[in-house]
Amino acid sequence: MQTLNTPLKRTTVAVWLFTQLLATGSAHADERESLEQLRATTTNLIELLVQEGVLSKQKADTLLQKAAADAKASQEAHQASQQAGLSDDVKNEVNKAMDEKTVRVQYIPQHVKQAMREEIEHNVMEKLNYKAGERLGVPEWIDRISFHGDIRLRGQADRFADENEDFVELNDDLTRSMNLNNSSEERRRARVRARLAADVHINDWLSGGLQFVTGLLNTPVTPNQTEGMSQGKYQFALDRAFLQAKPAEWATVTGGRFANPFMYTDMLWDPDLAFDGVTATFTPKINDRLTSFTTVGAFPLEEVESSSLNKAKDKWLYSVQTGLKWTAPNKSSVKMALAYHDFKNVEGQLNTVGLNDFDGTAPAWRQRGNNTFDINTNNSGTPGQGTIIGLASKFELINFMAQVDLMNFDPVHVTFTGDYVKNIGFNQNEVLQRTGNLYKKENEGYNFRVDVGNSSFLGPYVQNVNAHEWQVSLGYKYLEADAVMDGFTDSNFRLGGTDAKGWYVYSNYAIDKNAWISGRYMSADTISGKPFSVDVLLIDLNARF
């Protein structure tokens, strides 16, 4: 058998062979299997040529139709000559013509056919990629990058209760400074969120990613940009930049700035919050039904340049979460996780008289709800020394979370999620010694939620959705003042922060593939602080690409 020297020749021969096979009117019985396998192989190659742009779809269809028509005509002519009782001379001429159309293929062992198929496909792909690069003028590495993103248009309405305290009074209470600009006037906004991300495949064990997003540069929890022509251009900033290594099938190590690596709800973490640092996740499989997962991580919150005049220290978060997932034969599942989150150096420290040596202990970002105090109290009578708000409590969180996902009504999921958190870092006597204030112990929170609908909308990130998929959710949240750090929890419930309780209802409906509308209504009240109740309505149009 003569060797094919180039991928292009192999492609040409494969296409030619396929057309001849379709046109063949007869073949020996022991050749039928080889002919059918070669027919399938060359059909796949023609489809591949169309996908890569080497052969147009129209030309490919014409080629296949002509080959099929020739085969049918040859068969009909052969049958007609036999049924019409033609003379031997005429039959001989017909058979001679049929023999010219017939291809005889010798028997080829199965392992040889498989090797030929793999070699042909490999060489054709190499040639097609090379040609694509020449034709499009793009480098080879472009094949290792995939882009995706989404756009969300939002209408938001914030309605405040008549009983709310004036926002000036809420801000001036230094034991729980609320960080507000409004507490009484209804506010309506048109908002937009846009995200553009690139996933990078570097090699078999290393990958990475980048993501740009809209939003204000001084907040880590929301990418929403309020619309308004007078404000000029939207800000578009880098929100993800990470490398991810997979040393084993059950182990992943990620470093840089990346999405939340934990199992969580928005009671602890806002869904848009990015994590900086390094994390490792281990997911060993115990058996066919039971899988374990453990995530550990170290995350810098704020770098402080300490000195003899600046005694504040770097703020860090150290976390570990471990859990189990059990899956039933019908794909229903139960998932439980226990987490420990230790925030280092986030509590405020009083400045020394005449110095600003602990200014850096004030948080760079906060929302509202945590107990606070003025860390500059010792210098309050000094000209030019203003109020500096610090957090009263340490934060050392124990979080337990459980989720039951029922698939009895597949493809509709019925999911129950429960979440409990306790800040064991709160110590009333320690807070009193550090701040001079006696704060009530309010360090617990819980959240319960029921979701009914398609799995595309489960979790904090919406996956690919199909037309008419849907989901509805109902939940209740209770989050005391120092249960979690108010700067990182959900930014929508009571407009962000802690010391909040109330109900919420969510809904999603896909109007087409990767396009859906969603609505959220959250009604939240104050637990123990001065009155500040807010109802928030969000109506979104989402598009994913």
Side-chain angles (χ1 to χ4, degrees), residues 396-408:
E396 193 175 348
L397 311 182
I398 298 293
N399 175 227
F400 176 74
M401 182 178 174
Q403 187 175 78
V404 178
D405 185 14
L406 301 180
M407 288 290 293
N408 303 68

Side-chain angles (χ1 to χ4, degrees), residues 53 81 214 368 427:
S81 67
T214 53
R368 58 195 56 87
N427 185 300

Side-chain angles (χ1 to χ4, degrees), residues 142-387:
I142 202 70
D143 295 332
R144 301 198 302 271
I145 302 177
S146 60
F147 295 92
H148 59 90
D150 61 73
I151 298 174
R152 181 179 70 193
L153 305 181
R154 165 170 291 181
Q156 177 170 345
D158 307 329
R159 184 175 181 180
F160 302 93
D162 295 335
E163 298 80 14
N164 283 356
E165 191 77 52
D166 183 76
F167 77 97
V168 176
E169 296 294 329
L170 293 171
N171 291 339
D172 287 345
D173 181 2
L174 300 183
T175 62
R176 192 170 295 178
S177 180
M178 291 292 285
N179 194 26
L180 289 168
N181 295 318
N182 175 33
S183 62
S184 58
E185 301 301 320
E186 182 174 352
R187 188 181 187 190
R188 298 182 180 182
R189 287 174 285 175
R191 314 189 80 182
V192 63
R193 181 191 71 183
R195 297 184 295 191
L196 179 62
D199 295 329
V200 183
H201 175 77
I202 299 171
N203 51 44
D204 292 339
W205 62 272
L206 186 63
S207 60
L210 298 169
Q211 178 175 282
F212 290 88
V213 67
T214 53
L216 300 178
L217 299 181
N218 63 346
T219 167
V221 293
T222 175
N224 292 312
Q225 180 76 48
T226 299
E227 295 184 50
M229 291 186 293
S230 298
Q231 66 184 345
K233 309 296 187 297
Y234 292 163
Q235 294 174 336
F236 204 56
L238 185 66
D239 190 48
R240 300 283 192 277
F242 64 91
L243 290 176
Q244 186 173 85
K246 201 168 183 64
E249 187 65 27
W250 47 269
T252 303
V253 180
T254 307
R257 185 175 178 89
F258 42 84
N260 194 323
F262 301 106
M263 178 185 177
Y264 73 99
T265 71
D266 59 13
M267 184 177 73
L268 259 71
W269 314 111
D270 187 275
D272 292 305
L273 178 67
F275 277 63
D276 292 82
V278 61
T279 182
T281 299
F282 309 95
T283 56
K285 188 176 182 181
I286 299 174
N287 54 47
D288 291 340
R289 299 290 179 212
L290 194 61
T291 302
S292 68
F293 57 93
T294 299
T295 299
V296 296
F299 313 103
L301 301 177
E302 184 182 345
E303 191 270 340
V304 177
E305 188 176 3
S306 301
S307 69
S308 59
L309 297 178
N310 183 9
K311 296 182 180 180
K313 298 180 180 179
D314 293 346
K315 300 179 176 69
W316 281 80
L317 166 63
Y318 300 101
S319 299
V320 58
Q321 182 184 66
T322 187
L324 295 171
K325 180 180 180 181
W326 177 80
T327 305
N330 70 343
K331 303 303 181 183
S332 296
S333 64
V334 178
K335 195 174 182 180
M336 296 183 295
L338 180 65
Y340 172 73
H341 303 289
D342 186 12
F343 293 82
K344 292 294 188 182
N345 305 318
V346 297
E347 69 276 9
Q349 298 286 344
L350 283 172
N351 279 328
T352 304
V353 177
L355 299 176
N356 294 94
D357 47 353
F358 286 105
D359 279 4
T361 63
W365 164 258
R366 66 183 184 91
Q367 296 188 92
R368 58 195 56 87
N370 287 160
N371 284 310
T372 60
F373 72 107
D374 180 9
I375 66 175
N376 210 25
T377 298
N378 290 333
N379 298 317
S380 59
T382 304
Q385 295 285 355
T387 299

Side-chain angles (χ1 to χ4, degrees), residues 350 373 430-439:
L350 283 172
F373 72 107
E430 182 183 275
V431 172
L432 175 61
Q433 293 176 2
R434 187 172 58 254
T435 68
N437 298 320
L438 184 63
Y439 293 93

